[in-house]
Amino acid sequence: MKIYVCCKQVPDVAMTIQIKDGKFISEGMNYVLNAYDASCVEEALVLKEKYGAEVTLVLIGDEAGKEALRKGLAMGADNAFHISDPALNNLGSQAAAKVLQAFFKGRDFDFILTGKQAQDSDMGLAGGILSGLLNLPYVTNAVGLDVQDKMIVVKRQGDEGVEVLHMPMPSLITCSNDMNDPRIPSLKGIMASKKKPMEQVSLTDLGLSADEVLKESQKSSLKSFGLPPARKAGAKIEGDAQTLVATLMEKLTKEAKVL
Amino acid sequence: MNVEFNQDQKLMQQSAREFAEKFVKPVAKKLDDTQEFPVELIQRAAELGFMGVAIPEEYGGAGMDSLSYTIMMEEIARYCGSTSVILSVNNSLVCGPLLKYGTEEQKQKWLTPLAKGEKLGCYGLTEPNAGSDCAGTKTNAVDKGDHWLLNGAKIFITNGSHADTALVFANTDPGKGNKGISCFIVDMKSPGFSVKPMHGKMGIRASGLSELVFEDVKVPKENLLGELHKGFKIAMTTLDGGRIGIAAQAIGLARGAFEEALQYSKERVQFGQAISNFQAIQFMLSDMGMKIDAARLLTQKAAWMKDMGQNYNQQASAAKLYASEIATWVTNRAIQIHGGYGYTNEYNVERYFRDARVCEIYEGTSEIQRLVVAANLLGR
Amino acid sequence: MKILVFADQKKGKVKKSSFEVLSEAVKLSTESGAEVHAALLGSGVKEQAGVLGHYGAKTVHVVDRPELATYINTPFVTAAKAVIDAVKPRLVLFPTSEGIKDYIPALVQKLDGAGITDCCKIRWTGNGVEIERPLMAAKARSTMESSHSLILLTCRAGSFETKEPNPSLKAEIVEHSVSFPDLKQIFKEVLAANTGKISLDEADVVIAAGRGVRDAEGLKLLEELADVMGAALGSTRAVVESGLVPATLQIGQTGKVINPTLYIGCGVSGAVQHTAGMGNSKVIVAINKDSEAPIFNIADYGLVGDLFKVVPLLIEAVKELKKNA
């Protein structure tokens, strides 16, 4: 099998997020492989161990992005493509999908995995858009993956429960981090990853012009960052248990509208 | 000058951090409470290659540099002093001298399984009457023609309770003081070798601290490490390397406590505002952060000098001395910032303080480190 | 100009989140002078279309077909695209559900539109929209703008005000015929929701157990509450340490950071170590005997009472609500 995993490098959102004058402060942040993508790599490696497969990573990003690719290689992926171009900094979902479409043109594969969203934007569109551009069937939010009789058996966390779907090859699947617990790269894996092939790809190599990417980027634009509003103490409700529950149900359904 | 980690080091940091957050952090308090050696955790660390970080791959190690090793030590000590010291002993005090002084056969037979983490090592230097004063070593080894006969005892031996292989320093030429000490590789399953666990420690309580007792232990001739009577030099150079690891451990502990104090200060409300708004707290935080940074740079410099093949004796001592002293200070301030809660075991800072305190004592007390630095400064 | 709202439904019944989004569309229409349309996709949903009129939809576009009986993305994309092609809206709004999150990317791609998800504020700028949305695990917010010719937005639940329905408002119901392509993927089954535990960091509702649950009996009560609410169960460090729950359920600085729509802390005191992990919850409910417990400082609704008395009644009340829903 041939499996591609599309990855992104993101700031470590477990750290304190700093925003100044509407701008995200990247200084001092650690940048890591998107956790949802790490789950994709893990799942691809499990399938590789089970059935045999070549696992190839693809990442759009600047020089620092190579570190995220090396992490995937250190986990056990076979090779990687690093798509890098000054025109490709801070791409939105739609532009990223456009670039990846160009990358996959003429390539053979059994399926593409990518995270259900990136931890920095939490947008969750790129995978599905890419599958549309490639005219592939797709499914999002996978929590389980297997291969049976040349079909990909996907368990997807849906609204009513876990939906089981059989996808043909090739397909695109976006993965949840509930799917697995990604392995930690061993030091041996880290050292071995240096020797694995990592190919540089430019926009020109893809036969794509900066204008074509810009056209996608301009569909929507990010203006500024802010912090979520601070929390204040709300209402303290006192009384007997009946009163408490009745008041709470009233508040949750009518005021907060979360039930 | 470049103070940024290279990609290997960054990836090592990520792996060590993930391991520490996922596996060490959840059990750290329990390890301290129960004083139980974390067998499973150490197995996991071994699988990741943390038992022989700076040992070449041909001998089962990860083949990384000393700087990477300090990065790992800091990330793990950030959550647990016990776990970090277990790794430190195997890496620097056991694998280190085996690599430097071992014959090819010894490396294949003893170093490889230790660096892979299939076996665990301990370092038998300290005795009731001989710590940094190596000359006072009472444990002795007598040449019996086809083997050495080992008798005596060692105390305060980290990993002792679970180790497979011990490096034991013994007197081979009584009356010659430092010039009569030799180092032996001892299989701990040898008849006559017994281990008595030691309890009641203030900190790093899950490190398998033990007393080692040798009663007519037969040690094969080929298990002499390095030259006969040259064990003192092995002990001293080994401790130089070990000090870099202890410095990194102290930094990790200080950082763990500092991060908790920083967070707590932003959340703890007194007089209607977060205590981080008070200058008294701010001054403590800024000094804590500054000292940790300074200690880290000192330690990284020592590791870098080691990697460059330079003499790092003075820098290793200076780093260990400074890092351990600021670790005591920082963890103590972290308790202060936590106020009454900091004095209880509901929060981690008191454990960090207890764990950090020993860094000023083991692998050479602060006083010994000052002597080493002074000797270098004065050219003695 | 037209604003089109896609209603979400479950077993033919329109979900409340749809009314919330429709109310927001009506509000936006007064700013932009737009006409509000709604769309309802599903099988056996036609009868429900009228209610969307009560919330201000002028026209409700219905695709009522057996192909839409079980959720699978391809037919929903086809149906949604057919409605959008016919209505030609400038702005399309969606509530959020796992189904919508699944099919909206393909829709954005096929319509060559601009897509933004999880919007919690929407403003009409005159030639497009300016929105706000949480990101980076809800630790930050971004403002985005689009003046594209077709904008598709999904809305974060609970972000907008739902207007009271007006039954005298009637919508014109338009049925659309759609030809569905053959499916490439095969739908097998839905495994019952309760077979897979709902994961803590993804859950919309989280029930957190604090020291006050005391023992396995207390925990069972909370598990029952979680079950009836379709919620995930979490806990404080103290409960993990007591051995009642595994460490994977720990919320807080030493544990998981969560941001559910609704968090209900039972017997949780609210130590900073815990609140660091749940402070981003949209609505925080606290049930605690101790009226001085620090969790009341951040709770939207703080119930001062014994969880052993309150929770059983709450379970009954939620069951009642679900029955009537």
Side-chain angles (χ1 to χ4, degrees), chain A residues 16, chain B residues 258-268, chain C residues 253 272 276:
Chain A
T16 306
Chain B
F258 170 64
E259 286 170 346
E260 296 221 353
L262 185 65
Q263 184 68 25
Y264 184 82
S265 73
K266 289 192 266 189
E267 286 159 3
R268 171 73 173 174
Chain C
Q253 204 177 317
V272 284

Side-chain angles (χ1 to χ4, degrees), chain A residues 204-225:
Chain A
T204 321
D205 296 336
L206 296 177
L208 208 58
S209 72
D211 280 350
E212 285 172 275
V213 180
L214 192 66
K215 188 179 154 260
E216 290 300 320
S217 296
Q218 282 171 341
K219 285 180 174 169
S220 62
S221 56
L222 208 153
K223 304 310 279 183
S224 64
F225 287 100

Side-chain angles (χ1 to χ4, degrees), chain B residues 96-203:
Chain B
L98 281 170
L99 177 69
K100 194 168 159 101
Y101 298 101
T103 62
E104 186 56 31
E105 289 73 31
Q106 288 173 336
K107 287 180 195 173
Q108 293 296 345
K109 182 172 181 189
W110 302 100
L111 174 58
T112 303
L114 285 163
K116 281 185 178 167
E118 292 165 358
K119 292 206 164 151
L120 184 70
C122 68
Y123 184 74
L125 174 65
T126 306
E127 294 188 5
N129 296 312
S132 290
D133 175 17
C134 207
T137 297
K138 292 270 188 332
T139 299
N140 62 82
V142 179
D143 191 343
K144 293 283 179 187
D146 65 335
H147 65 268
W148 293 90
L149 200 64
L150 191 63
N151 277 287
K154 298 285 175 182
I155 57 162
F156 301 141
I157 307 304
T158 297
N159 291 359
S161 64
H162 286 70
D164 306 282
T165 309
L167 292 188
V168 178
F169 291 86
N171 205 324
T172 40
D173 193 355
K176 285 273 178 65
N178 285 340
K179 296 200 171 75
I181 306 290
S182 301
C183 180
F184 296 94
I185 309 165
V186 185
D187 182 343
M188 292 178 67
K189 289 194 184 66
S190 308
F193 196 131
S194 59
V195 175
K196 291 181 193 159
M198 297 173 76
H199 289 298
K201 249 190 313 175
M202 173 181 178

Side-chain angles (χ1 to χ4, degrees), chain B residues 70-86:
Chain B
T70 65
I71 293 168
M72 178 202 73
M73 283 297 292
E74 177 181 333
E75 291 298 330
I76 289 168
R78 181 186 173 203
Y79 293 113
C80 179
S82 294
T83 309
S84 63
V85 77
I86 292 165

